[in-house]
Amino acid sequence: MTGTAEAEVVVSRREQRDRNAAQRRAERTFRMALGAIMALGLAIRAAFVLIRQSGVELVTGDAFWYHFQAKLVAEGKGFLHPFEYYEHGVEAAGADHPPGFVAILAVLDLLGIDTPQGQRLVMCLVGTASIAVIGLLGRRLATPVVGLIAAGIAAVYPNLWINDGMLMVETVFIFATAVALLCTYRYLERPRRGELLLVSAALTLAALTRPESLLMFAVLVLPLVLARHALPWRERLVHLVLAALVPLLAFAPWAVYNLGRFEVPVLISTGAGQTLAAGNCDLTYSGDHLGFYNTRCLLEPQIEPPTAEDLSVRDGQYREIALDYMRDHLGELPKVMAARVGRVWHLYRPGQSIGLDGFVEGRSGGPPGTSHELVREALWAYYALMPLAIAGLVVLRRRGWQVYPLLAQPLIVTLTAAATFGITRYRAGAEVSIVICAAVAIGACASRMARPTAEDRHEQKSPPPAAAGKAET
């Protein structure tokens, strides 16, 4: 080897060491900045719980169900109906909701965190973890700066942190959705079985809290695997089977457990029929609650309430009542479905949604009579992000990224609202896509202003070939 060649090798090694050192410094800087943003997000969430929710002594509605059924599970009594048990002393089987969130709260009970406020604070930690995942996803799709922008939005965006103080499933659901998206884009880069199992596990966790997430296996996982043309058909089939096994194994114990408790097999929950009935009656097909729900739909004179004691049978009766009403009002259904979708996306009666979210849904926090300024701020924040999110989708598509994973949850939100009713909580999973895409748009604008030349703009991170949507769509 000549002296010149040896010198080139030495220089090359020195340059590689410098690059590695620079990468380590950049990674350290990113982590420190992300940690600071997470601390801010945790402070906001904790303040909401400790200040606004401190006046809420008793949980009500679905939060009552989750909190007190978890207490029964922790005490070894099983998944009993908490309303029947605590209000009437009756030990009746209860499965109005999937078991995921109740199981999480039951573990907290066993650990001694058994008060609503204590459990809300734990949910703040879960919400803070979502900030980190969203930041990592933003970095993967664009740049570290975009990742930090996404994390920053997630930290302060009210439609995310309000959920963390409500003791409802949306906190865990948002976290699972963010993890599923991050793992999806990792799978797009490296379509391996392990990566897909992580996607399936995250979606299964989401489905154990909100059952409509099972649709994600058809809307996201199926096209995700089938479009991997670089994989042989046999390997793609193996991937699909593995992805399907995770939710089957997760729900199987629950379904088997319910076989001995109900007359009709309960695979997920006994709440679907009542949900349909609450959104299909005269009160929700016209008037103030058009496209929303009304609990009076479950009572006389709107319907003749089912009398079956077994909740699985009663669920079927509620479902038939709702379907009968829909068949009798087919001409009005398009109008109602449009109103439902308009409500979930705040395109129909947005001003009214402030009161409905604040008073009916309790998203303002605090005891009854609390003002609804937080819900109003959440609405305006949503309006500010949505145009940016649409622009961010365009930017990602132009850069060659596949964007259908980011559109999967918005599609399911729309379908769920059209089939049931339009409430802001149903949009929880889509909020992750909104935040990510808005961050991409902000990052693109900032880059354009800071580096206006075409040459500099091309320095933006491009997706790896396996992730680009141009070849495999």
Side-chain angles (χ1 to χ4, degrees), residues 64-81:
F64 179 98
W65 177 283
Y66 298 127
H67 176 74
F68 285 102
Q69 189 178 59
K71 190 176 293 293
L72 292 170
V73 172
E75 292 172 355
K77 295 182 174 64
F79 287 80
L80 298 180
H81 195 295

Side-chain angles (χ1 to χ4, degrees), residues 8-27:
E8 289 177 351
V9 170
V10 171
V11 171
S12 177
R13 289 175 179 173
R14 185 182 300 117
E15 290 176 347
Q16 184 61 45
R17 285 197 301 269
D18 291 343
R19 282 195 296 268
N20 292 340
Q23 289 175 355
R24 287 193 295 270
R25 286 195 299 271
E27 179 65 21

Side-chain angles (χ1 to χ4, degrees), residues 362-394:
R363 290 174 65 85
S364 289
T370 301
S371 61
H372 302 323
E373 71 270 11
L374 288 181
V375 175
R376 184 177 293 105
E377 292 168 5
L379 176 63
W380 284 111
Y382 162 78
Y383 281 146
L385 289 182
M386 272 304 291
L388 292 171
I390 295 171
L393 276 174
V394 174

Side-chain angles (χ1 to χ4, degrees), residues 12 21 40 46 297 351 385 413 452:
S12 177
L40 171 64
C297 290
L385 289 182
V413 167

Side-chain angles (χ1 to χ4, degrees), residues 97-116:
H97 303 281
F101 192 57
V102 170
I104 292 171
L105 295 185
V107 172
L108 296 181
D109 275 302
L110 292 172
L111 294 175
I113 308 173
D114 55 359
T115 65

Side-chain angles (χ1 to χ4, degrees), residues 287-437:
D288 290 341
H289 282 194
L290 172 63
F292 201 67
Y293 70 88
N294 195 316
T295 54
R296 288 184 293 165
C297 290
L298 307 176
L299 305 172
E300 294 180 338
Q302 297 301 319
I303 65 169
E304 183 177 341
T307 56
E309 293 186 4
D310 186 277
L311 290 181
S312 64
V313 177
R314 192 186 304 177
D315 182 56
Q317 293 174 336
Y318 271 123
R319 185 169 56 251
E320 286 304 313
I321 289 172
L323 293 176
D324 285 343
Y325 186 90
M326 293 166 68
R327 283 190 287 265
D328 292 341
H329 298 80
L330 283 177
E332 299 176 69
L333 202 53
K335 173 194 70 175
V336 175
M337 293 176 72
R340 292 167 176 170
V341 173
R343 281 191 184 276
V344 81
W345 294 111
H346 286 320
L347 300 173
Y348 176 69
R349 295 182 179 178
Q352 186 191 36
S353 72
I354 295 172
L356 293 175
D357 279 351
F359 179 71
V360 179
E361 288 280 287
R363 290 174 65 85
S364 289
T370 301
S371 61
H372 302 323
E373 71 270 11
L374 288 181
V375 175
R376 184 177 293 105
E377 292 168 5
L379 176 63
W380 284 111
Y382 162 78
Y383 281 146
L385 289 182
M386 272 304 291
L388 292 171
I390 295 171
L393 276 174
V394 174
V395 170
L396 287 172
R397 185 58 185 156
R398 286 179 176 175
R399 291 178 182 173
W401 284 102
Q402 294 185 13
V403 297
Y404 72 87
L406 294 166
L407 295 173
Q409 268 294 342
L411 173 61
I412 289 176
V413 167
T414 302
L415 294 175
T416 301
T420 54
F421 36 76
I423 58 176
T424 302
R425 280 193 297 113
Y426 281 5
R427 207 180 62 228
E431 303 286 9
V432 177
S433 297
I434 291 171
V435 168
I436 290 293
C437 294

